């Protein structure tokens, strides 16, 4: 069936598709959904924080943004390897400090303004230069990714050159990450601090509307440089409660559900009505411990927490075998850089009690921040409850405080000092440099723009990470990362809990969907009949 779409038609269809979220009674059975052909309704785990790729950190937001924007490069489908996107080619200087990109001709932003070298320079200058006229449209929490850039030079209209202050091994990979997606300078100039609600990129879908706590709607970009997408529109619906998201999928109110609760997977398996998708990727779920104040300033108490928590039970019973126990800060998906000599802390309550007694921390009171949901957070309330019970079994007194995801990030990212002793967290990363560099270095404390919310500091770890990111030989980088993992494992600034295998479920009428190891949703090739 061929349908001619106008924006009004798309909006009417998306309202119908989101009907269940607007208080309408659910219809029985997946076939009763009334979601129109060509419009994909995605059940997201939370409301996005913003639609400005430089201003957000959550995979939940990135899943939308990767369909609205492009970067100079992107990850090749099914891999974390880099291929051309808005740049058709690039050259690197012999000393690794200059990257020169040839830009794709004939591309325009969704607002009609041209994509060129000046637009590229605008994007990186906006993030990195405090004197840029639109730097105040931030903050830009992942600008760390590009801290090696000394200057972005316009060579000519379709050539741009980055001058780095030193060789930086993750540079191309970071350009493919959502923080490297390119926004329209004209749209930023027009909307200023409101740009995050009125985005304009060059991607396969164009922004239509954002109704807070209801939906974000994007529509097909017929002029997309890589070919128009198959779908006419996509509706991203925030459904924070996992059980509600499951019920919506079963009732047909959504066509694609991300992060299926482990206990609900059986609802979608072994039936022709749904397809369950799984994909391993670089994910780690952990507890941030407050090393600035309270009992976790003592390494023995941090190690005790690692021994006290029965991570095998969490993985097998709470997560239904959809994850593996984590041994350290680096996910095993980075096989070349992963230290497989490390063993996870075993569940050993007696050893935990011994360490607590040695530290004089018996009966310590702990405030524990737990989130209701969020990117890669799996089943955070159930996991938090299990962790609380395990810690109390070895003598701690644990009080849980639970927050909605964006509120949770607002509490945790600025640091735990004066607020909590521990907090749940999960990261899905693109390079073994990313998480430790942004969350374990001394210079990544929250007051310096990083995510070291527990205030861990070890000069040896700092030196290893600094050397690893300038090493051009991958074997040397791997050795440095493995040394870092061993030290962090022993210092135990986190409780290392799980590495997850991501999942999603689609309805029978959705075709050509696949999960990516990047954890992003790429919907260009998806069809819905």
């Amino acid at each position: 069936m061929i349908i001619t779409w106008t924006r009004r038609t798309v909006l009417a269809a998306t309202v119908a598709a989101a009907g269940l979220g607007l208080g309408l009674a659910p219809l029985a059975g997946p076939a009763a959904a009334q979601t129109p052909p060509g419009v994909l309704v995605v059940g997201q785990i939370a409301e996005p924080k913003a639609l400005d790729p430089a201003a957000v950190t959550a995979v939940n937001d990135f899943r939308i943004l990767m369909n609205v924007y492009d970067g100079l490069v992107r990850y090749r489908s099914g891999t974390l390897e880099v291929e051309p996107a808005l740049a058709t080619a690039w050259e690197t200087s012999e000393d690794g400090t200059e990257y020169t990109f040839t830009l794709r001709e004939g591309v325009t932003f969704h607002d009609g303004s041209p994509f060129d070298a000046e637009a590229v320079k605008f994007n990186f200058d906006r993030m990195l230069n405090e004197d840029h006229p639109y730097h105040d449209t931030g903050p830009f929490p992942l600008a760390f990714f590009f801290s090696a850039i000394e200057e972005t030079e316009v060579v000519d209209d379709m050539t741009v050159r980055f001058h780095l202050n030193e060789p930086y091994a993750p540079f191309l990979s970071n350009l493919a990450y959502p923080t490297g997606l390119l926004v329209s300078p004209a749209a930023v100039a027009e909307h200023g601090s409101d740009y995050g609600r009125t985005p304009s990129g060059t991607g396969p879908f164009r922004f239509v509307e954002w109704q807070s706590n209801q939906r974000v709607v994007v529509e097909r970009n017929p002029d997309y440089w890589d070919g128009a997408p198959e779908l006419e529109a996509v509706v991203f619906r925030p459904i924070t409660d996992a059980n509600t998201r499951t019920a919506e999928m079963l009732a047909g109110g959504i066509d694609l559900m991300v992060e299926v609760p482990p206990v609900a997977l059986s609802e979608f398996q072994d039936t022709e009505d749904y397809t369950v998708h799984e994909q391993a990727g670089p994910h780690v779920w952990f507890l941030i411990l407050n090393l600035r104040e309270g009992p976790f300033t003592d390494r023995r108490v941090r190690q005790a927490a690692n021994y006290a928590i029965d991570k095998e039970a969490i993985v097998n019973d709470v997560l239904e075998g959809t994850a593996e126990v984590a041994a350290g800060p680096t996910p095993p998906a980075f096989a070349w850089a992963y230290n497989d000599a490390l063993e996870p802390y075993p569940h050993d309550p007696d050893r935990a009690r011994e360490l607590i007694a040695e530290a004089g921390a018996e009966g310590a009171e702990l405030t524990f921040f737990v989130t209701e949901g969020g990117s890669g957070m799996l089943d955070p309330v159930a996991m938090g409850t299990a962790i609380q019970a395990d810690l109390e079994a070895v003598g701690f007194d644990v009080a849980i405080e639970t927050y909605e995801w964006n509120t949770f990030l607002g509490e945790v990212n600025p640091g735990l000092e004066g607020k909590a002793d521990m907090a749940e967290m999960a990261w899905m990363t693109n390079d073994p440099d990313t998480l430790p560099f942004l969350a374990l270095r001394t210079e990544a404390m929250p007051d310096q723009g990083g995510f070291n919310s527990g205030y861990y500091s070890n000069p040896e770890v700092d030196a290893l990470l600094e050397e690893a990111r300038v090493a051009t030989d991958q074997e040397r980088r791997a050795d440095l990362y493995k040394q870092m993992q061993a030290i962090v494992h022993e210092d135990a600034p986190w409780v290392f809990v799980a590495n997850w295998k991501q999942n999603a479920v689609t309805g029978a009428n959705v075709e050509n969907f696949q999960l990516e190891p990047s954890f992003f949703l790429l919907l260009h090739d998806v069809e819905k009949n």
Side-chain angles (χ1 to χ4, degrees):
M1 177 170 55
I2 299 175
I3 302 174
T4 301
W5 292 82
T6 65
R7 177 161 294 194
R8 179 178 295 179
T9 309
V10 170
L11 285 171
T14 56
V15 170
L20 295 178
L22 299 175
L24 303 183
L27 301 170
Q34 304 299 313
T35 57
V39 176
L40 185 78
V41 184
V42 180
Q44 288 272 89
I45 60 175
E47 174 82 347
K49 181 178 179 180
L51 299 179
D52 180 346
V56 296
T57 64
V59 169
N60 180 68
D61 299 13
F62 294 161
R63 287 176 175 139
I64 301 174
L65 300 178
M66 293 296 285
N67 296 284
V68 176
Y69 297 94
D70 297 302
L72 293 174
V73 296
R74 64 188 180 188
Y75 299 124
R76 183 176 293 111
S77 180
T79 76
L80 290 174
E81 298 171 5
V82 169
E83 69 176 10
L86 289 179
T88 58
W90 57 88
E91 295 179 354
T92 309
S93 64
E94 285 189 15
D95 65 359
T97 64
E98 290 185 359
Y99 286 75
T100 304
F101 291 86
T102 301
L103 305 183
R104 191 174 297 277
E105 302 270 359
V107 177
T108 59
F109 289 99
H110 299 152
D111 59 10
S113 61
F115 166 73
D116 55 19
E118 288 287 355
V120 177
K121 178 176 173 60
F122 175 97
N123 274 262
F124 290 93
D125 286 356
R126 178 175 76 119
M127 270 194 289
L128 298 171
N129 298 347
E130 292 184 3
D131 59 353
H132 189 271
Y134 295 101
H135 186 73
D136 62 359
T137 57
F140 307 115
L142 295 183
F144 263 123
F145 274 48
F146 304 112
S147 58
I149 296 176
E150 215 164 48
E151 180 191 1
T152 304
E153 175 193 358
V154 174
V155 178
D156 58 42
D157 283 353
M158 303 310 292
T159 310
V160 67
R161 179 175 296 131
F162 294 96
H163 299 267
L164 310 186
N165 54 25
E166 59 186 355
Y168 178 38
F171 185 60
L172 284 173
S173 180
N174 285 357
L175 286 174
Y177 201 70
T179 311
L181 296 172
L182 300 176
V183 307
S184 161
V188 174
E190 179 180 356
H191 299 289
S193 59
D194 291 329
Y195 174 77
R197 295 194 69 93
T198 51
S200 178
T202 62
F205 294 92
R206 303 183 297 207
F207 174 75
V208 175
E209 70 162 7
W210 178 358
Q211 291 288 329
S212 294
N213 299 309
Q214 293 185 20
R215 61 186 177 270
V216 172
V217 181
V218 298
E219 68 179 0
R220 183 177 187 259
N221 175 10
D223 303 317
Y224 186 50
W225 61 266
D226 202 19
E230 299 293 334
L231 294 166
E232 297 293 343
V234 182
V235 184
F236 296 93
R237 290 184 51 204
I239 308 172
T240 57
D241 180 73
N243 293 327
T244 303
R245 207 159 60 248
T246 300
E248 292 268 21
M249 189 73 207
L250 291 168
I254 56 179
D255 305 304
L256 165 61
M257 175 183 177
V258 296
E259 302 193 24
V260 185
V263 295
L265 274 173
S266 60
E267 299 267 13
F268 304 106
Q269 292 169 330
D270 303 320
T271 170
E272 295 181 356
D273 293 330
Y274 305 99
T275 300
V276 174
H277 308 263
E278 293 184 328
Q279 167 73 52
H283 168 278
V284 60
W285 198 106
F286 57 98
L287 301 179
I288 305 170
L289 305 180
N290 185 343
L291 277 64
R292 183 162 286 177
E293 59 190 0
F296 292 129
T297 57
D298 191 313
R299 182 170 68 177
R300 293 170 295 185
V301 184
R302 302 195 299 270
Q303 291 177 340
N306 273 278
Y307 284 117
I309 295 169
D310 190 347
K311 295 172 283 290
E312 290 280 359
I314 290 173
V315 163
N316 294 324
D317 300 337
V318 178
L319 300 180
E320 303 277 340
T322 58
E324 295 180 347
V325 173
T330 299
F334 294 124
W336 65 272
Y338 179 67
N339 189 341
D340 56 12
L342 294 181
E343 294 289 339
Y345 278 83
H347 181 223
D348 190 341
D350 291 337
R351 179 59 179 149
R353 293 186 190 97
E354 289 175 5
L355 289 166
I356 292 167
E358 287 178 19
E362 299 99 326
E365 296 181 355
L366 304 177
T367 299
F368 179 19
F369 281 0
V370 169
T371 179
E372 296 172 353
S375 301
M377 292 306 302
L378 310 184
D379 199 347
V381 174
M383 295 172 77
T385 302
I387 288 166
Q388 178 189 39
D390 287 342
L391 292 175
E392 290 187 336
V394 299
F396 291 117
D397 181 4
V398 183
I400 286 179
E401 294 184 15
T402 306
Y403 297 92
E404 176 274 332
W405 176 235
N406 286 318
T407 305
F408 177 84
L409 292 178
E411 291 288 338
V412 174
N413 286 348
L416 299 183
E417 185 176 13
K419 294 182 286 188
D421 300 285
M422 53 194 290
E424 298 178 338
M425 188 51 64
W427 276 64
M428 295 171 275
T429 60
N430 62 314
D431 189 276
D433 168 82
T434 306
L435 176 56
F437 194 83
L438 293 181
L440 288 172
R441 281 184 316 124
T442 303
E443 293 185 6
M445 299 293 178
D447 61 358
Q448 295 174 271
F451 295 89
N452 190 349
S453 300
Y455 318 102
Y456 175 61
S457 177
N458 184 316
E460 192 174 356
V461 168
D462 294 344
L464 289 167
L465 290 172
E466 292 290 351
E467 185 179 348
R469 64 179 1 216
V470 302
T472 54
D473 178 73
Q474 190 176 83
E475 287 188 12
R476 177 58 180 159
R477 284 189 79 202
D479 179 61
L480 294 164
Y481 289 132
K482 290 175 182 179
Q483 292 181 54
M484 175 274 297
Q485 291 165 59
I487 296 168
V488 172
H489 179 273
E490 179 71 13
D491 281 349
W494 301 339
V495 176
F496 314 106
V497 179
N499 302 120
W500 173 57
K501 182 164 64 175
Q502 64 171 322
N503 59 40
V505 62
T506 53
N509 57 350
V510 176
E511 299 178 358
N512 297 334
F513 173 78
Q514 68 176 36
L515 288 169
E516 297 290 333
S518 63
F519 291 90
F520 307 139
L521 292 182
L522 304 181
L523 302 177
H524 176 269
D525 296 328
V526 173
E527 298 182 48
K528 181 188 164 191
N529 301 315

